[in-house]
Amino acid sequence: MAGKVLTITSGKGGVGKSTTSANLALGLALSGKKVVAIDLDIGLRNLDMILGLENRIVYDVVNIVEKTCKLNQALIKDKRTENLFLIAAAQTRDKSAVTSEQIKELAEELKKDYDYIILDSPAGIEGGFKNAMEPADEVIIVTTPEISAVRDADRVIGILEANSKTETNLIINRIDPTLVKRGDMMSKDDVLQVLSIPLIGIIPEDKNIVSYTNIGEPSILHKDSKSGMAYKNIIQRLLGKNVEFMEITEDKKGFFQNLVSLFKE
Amino acid sequence: MFFDFFKKNKKTSAEQAKERLRIILAHERAENKAPFLDDLRKDIIEVIAKYIDIDPKSININLQKDQSIEVLEINIPIK
Ligand SMILES: Nc1ncnc2c1ncn2[C@@H]1O[C@H](COP(=O)(O)OP(=O)(O)OP(=O)(O)O)[C@@H](O)[C@H]1O
Ligand SMILES: [Mg+2]
């Protein structure tokens, strides 16, 4: 097997890298791919919580590269699918505890047995980002339609180009149709005109994500979730299918629904 | 009426965001691609000033990509 390293990065913090990593990892696994997700945000472990696997962690990525455990011992099996494993970030160390060479070596090893190695990058453009960027075969840049996130994404795109990373795609996260309609948020097309890299997904603002994270079940597991649907589309595109981009529109409340919410208050 | 008139001419905040990004990113991209531009400017001013009277602020240096060719454009207005 010759797996692929897919890095999820952004420049700006808090735009949805880990949420995206969790959903893509789980979604690809549920479509039958063998997946390892690696949390490279060392010192600020997150992916384990989003995936609901925090109680299973014994060893982490630093243990692997320092060879204080075997690779197999640090692979945490998902509860829902046989196809997904997590390698957690170390919580008591910092980004300098691993080098990009070590991550590259680990990724090469994993490529033999897995279809996708998903690297959840920390924010920024320093060491931790480089650890995630350098081993990448493909990169997904996550941004929101906010001016500072887009600016930082552009910077990251420039760095990726300079490092000959040519397989790069964009996810625009947290699109709020009400704000776009009012002219107070850049639309998908506005962001694309500024950044000009291929788009692989648009995710709506989804108030339910907080509760999905609370219980460790990413959107993709929830049937009626709009963000889950958006992530499912991205997975289809990663698997080479041509799926139209969803329209992100305001929830239309009918007269009856309005009436119901009136009484609910 | 007056307010309506005012409103029509005002760009939405999203339009303003896009405009501001266009300008700042054009600048940052050039800078990141050719971090030597600032030093180059200083050197050029120093050399030219030895021979001609120039206004350092009026020197314009631009790295542009025109389809496939990259052009380094230097404009030096003489006083
Ligand atoms: N589409 C969305 N709708 C609503 N909330 C979202 C959406 N995507 C992400 N969030 C929320 O935004 C916050 C940041 O998300 P996340 O942790 O995935 O970002 P990150 O880029 O990994 O952050 P960091 O840079 O700190 O690693 C979380 O609280 C998450 O629930
Ligand atoms: Mg994160």
Side-chain angles (χ1 to χ4, degrees):
Chain A
M1 197 180 290
K4 234 186 232 171
V5 178
L6 176 60
T7 293
I8 316 294
T9 192
S10 68
K12 191 168 177 350
V15 296
K17 293 177 294 293
S18 299
T19 306
T20 296
S21 300
N23 276 288
L24 296 187
L26 194 51
L28 283 166
L30 291 169
S31 339
K33 298 290 175 187
K34 288 199 77 184
V35 183
V36 184
I38 309 181
D39 187 348
L40 286 178
D41 204 343
I42 296 168
L44 292 170
R45 190 189 271 178
N46 257 178
L47 202 51
D48 55 332
M49 283 288 218
I50 300 178
L51 284 167
L53 300 173
E54 70 277 9
N55 290 328
R56 304 185 170 199
I57 300 170
V58 180
Y59 298 105
D60 57 53
V61 66
V62 175
N63 294 129
I64 299 176
V65 303
E66 289 182 347
K67 300 198 162 47
T68 47
C69 77
K70 294 213 178 75
L71 176 53
N72 278 336
Q73 291 177 294
L75 285 168
I76 301 146
K77 195 160 141 270
D78 186 74
K79 308 177 207 170
R80 293 139 297 209
T81 160
E82 302 261 298
N83 285 336
L84 175 62
F85 292 84
L86 169 73
I87 296 177
Q91 190 64 322
T92 54
R93 303 287 292 272
D94 65 55
K95 268 124 208 167
S96 60
V98 298
T99 66
S100 55
E101 275 313 312
Q102 289 170 324
I103 301 300
K104 240 189 216 166
E105 204 177 297
L106 171 60
E108 285 307 316
E109 182 67 29
L110 289 166
K111 272 185 188 184
K112 295 177 196 157
D113 297 317
Y114 295 88
D115 297 302
Y116 283 93
I117 295 97
I118 294 187
L119 303 182
D120 181 15
S121 161
I125 49 173
E126 281 88 39
F129 157 74
K130 294 204 171 100
N131 291 340
M133 183 243 326
E134 278 171 17
D137 297 310
E138 281 181 35
V139 180
I140 289 181
I141 296 148
V142 182
T143 188
T144 64
E146 271 182 76
I147 194 161
S148 45
V150 174
R151 182 199 204 168
D152 291 357
D154 189 77
R155 182 92 170 83
V156 166
I157 291 166
I159 296 172
L160 291 169
E161 267 172 23
N163 282 275
S164 313
K165 300 288 177 189
T166 51
E167 292 284 311
T168 52
N169 285 293
L170 184 70
I171 288 181
I172 309 172
N173 188 22
R174 306 197 72 164
I175 298 178
D176 184 330
T178 310
L179 291 184
V180 173
K181 202 169 147 193
R182 199 164 81 194
D184 279 331
M185 181 180 270
M186 284 188 281
S187 67
K188 163 196 111 189
D189 293 325
D190 289 335
V191 176
L192 279 182
Q193 273 171 29
V194 173
L195 291 180
S196 61
I197 65 165
L199 183 70
I200 196 163
I202 44 176
I203 323 278
E205 173 73 27
D206 185 348
K207 299 267 173 298
N208 294 321
I209 288 187
V210 183
S211 69
Y212 299 157
T213 308
N214 284 344
I215 57 173
E217 289 180 3
S219 316
I220 205 146
L221 293 172
H222 298 266
K223 267 209 200 86
D224 305 322
S225 161
K226 278 198 172 172
S227 57
M229 192 64 223
Y231 280 120
K232 279 178 195 156
N233 287 345
I234 296 173
I235 283 150
Q236 295 301 306
R237 293 184 196 112
L238 283 172
L239 297 176
K241 300 206 181 78
N242 203 339
V243 188
E244 259 186 65
F245 287 97
M246 65 199 280
E247 288 287 335
I248 297 181
T249 50
E250 291 173 278
D251 285 326
K252 280 200 196 72
K253 276 192 185 167
F255 171 73
F256 185 68
Q257 262 174 305
N258 269 324
L259 211 64
V260 171
S261 51
L262 204 67
F263 282 110
K264 261 189 180 167
E265 290 302 307
Chain B
M1 280 259 282
F2 174 74
F3 287 106
D4 276 356
F5 170 78
F6 197 68
K7 232 179 171 178
K8 260 179 207 152
N9 281 293
K10 209 169 168 225
K11 284 188 177 153
T12 65
S13 76
E15 281 166 339
Q16 291 181 55
K18 204 172 149 186
E19 197 54 42
R20 290 173 65 205
L21 276 170
R22 279 234 169 100
I23 293 163
I24 189 72
L25 292 184
H27 180 78
E28 287 181 349
R29 282 171 190 162
E31 200 113 298
N32 285 327
K33 257 203 162 155
F36 55 83
L37 279 186
D38 268 349
D39 287 344
L40 180 65
R41 178 197 304 273
K42 279 181 206 133
D43 288 352
I44 286 175
I45 292 169
E46 207 174 292
V47 174
I48 306 278
K50 273 194 208 168
Y51 302 91
I52 325 170
D53 195 13
I54 51 162
D55 174 10
K57 272 187 241 123
S58 67
I59 291 187
N60 205 340
I61 301 183
N62 239 319
L63 190 67
Q64 279 182 341
K65 203 163 186 179
D66 216 15
Q67 276 137 40
S68 58
I69 352 164
E70 262 186 289
V71 180
L72 181 66
E73 192 184 54
I74 305 176
N75 270 303
I76 311 171
I78 296 170
K79 266 190 185 167

